[in-house]
Amino acid sequence: MPYVITSLCTNDGACVEVCPVACIHTTPGASQFYIDPDVCIDCEQCEIVCPVDAIFKDVDIPVEHAASIDLNAGFFRRHKAVRGPVPVQSAWEMVHRAHAYAEANGLKVATVVVDEAGCPIAAGRMGGADPSAAELAFNKAYTAAAFQVATAELVPQARQPWLWSLAISHHGRIMPAAGGIAIAEGIAIIGAIGVAGAHRAEQDILCGQAALAVLESAGH
Ligand code: SF4
Ligand code: SF4
């Protein structure tokens, strides 16, 4: 039961700042923001901050704004329609690029690239990396894809009840630990990368950022 933005929206963007899964978007020139119903986790944070009460849970929406349910969903159908997941070749190059960065900095890590649904495309573990790193890297990538954000942004939310209930429903795969990065093309998430095994979380992030350069040079 996702939340929906109606035509009452005044485009100030306040809700975007609080959404933990980054599922509120618009485009230049659009008259309002929209919520992706496939990603919204019903946390109600946007409804709380909206200064003009433009946001409703879909089941509670006033009848005069009922058309907004399809308008919100339609916005994302249009903008996501032509996107595909990270190409397999690029995913493998990202794994190699992350490991090259790690090697150059004396680190041993594992890296996993997943598609937008959190399914693995490419995965690798450097010789000498901790055996658990591969599983952790997958969990970070899965989490970044599910929440459509960098997992570092979820760390402050780690003790929130809604996050724990999601972790349970995702069979423990949700991991609010730094090192997962969502991969976006326009407003569409086309996958995510997760890195684990470095001494510090910031080093995992740097390995992942080094890998993203593969997509930048490919024009994504
Ligand atoms: S209810 Fe929560 S997850 Fe859904 S759009 Fe609002 S802030 Fe984002
Ligand atoms: S907080 Fe309300 S008015 Fe502001 S962008 Fe979001 S829906 Fe629109």
Side-chain angles (χ1 to χ4, degrees):
M1 286 179 288
Y3 280 70
V4 174
I5 298 180
T6 66
S7 58
L8 298 172
C9 172
T10 56
N11 258 338
D12 73 340
C15 52
V16 177
E17 300 297 319
V18 299
C19 179
V21 294
C23 70
I24 304 175
H25 294 274
T26 191
T27 51
S31 59
Q32 66 167 88
F33 279 76
Y34 302 89
I35 291 173
D36 187 342
D38 295 332
V39 182
C40 174
I41 57 169
D42 305 343
C43 73
E44 79 174 359
Q45 298 306 306
C46 55
E47 184 187 31
I48 292 169
V49 300
C50 180
V52 293
D53 296 330
I55 305 177
F56 300 87
K57 201 165 194 169
D58 61 351
V59 292
D60 300 326
I61 198 164
V63 65
E64 66 269 27
H65 292 299
S68 293
I69 296 174
D70 199 48
L71 280 176
N72 279 241
F75 176 86
F76 291 95
R77 275 198 302 272
R78 284 195 305 283
H79 287 91
K80 288 180 172 178
V82 296
R83 313 296 183 196
V86 178
V88 173
Q89 181 67 28
S90 296
W92 280 111
E93 287 177 25
M94 291 174 73
V95 171
H96 295 312
R97 191 73 67 91
H99 292 181
Y101 178 91
E103 189 72 47
N105 289 276
L107 306 170
K108 302 293 183 190
V109 302
T111 303
V112 177
V113 177
V114 300
D115 65 15
E116 72 282 8
C119 299
I121 301 174
R125 177 164 65 92
M126 295 172 68
D130 191 282
S132 66
E135 185 80 5
L136 296 176
F138 177 34
N139 288 348
K140 291 180 183 181
Y142 181 94
T143 304
F147 283 79
Q148 304 200 352
V149 294
T151 50
E153 295 180 31
L154 296 172
V155 173
Q157 316 268 3
R159 294 185 182 277
Q160 294 292 328
W162 59 263
L163 187 55
W164 279 110
S165 60
L166 280 173
I168 293 167
S169 64
H170 285 255
H171 309 291
R173 286 259 173 248
I174 298 294
M175 175 174 281
I181 305 172
I183 302 167
E185 190 172 303
I187 69 163
I189 297 298
I190 61 171
I193 183 169
V195 180
H199 307 302
R200 301 195 314 273
E202 307 85 67
Q203 295 169 318
D204 288 334
I205 294 172
L206 289 171
C207 292
Q209 289 173 339
L212 290 177
V214 169
L215 294 176
E216 286 161 16
S217 58
H220 284 270

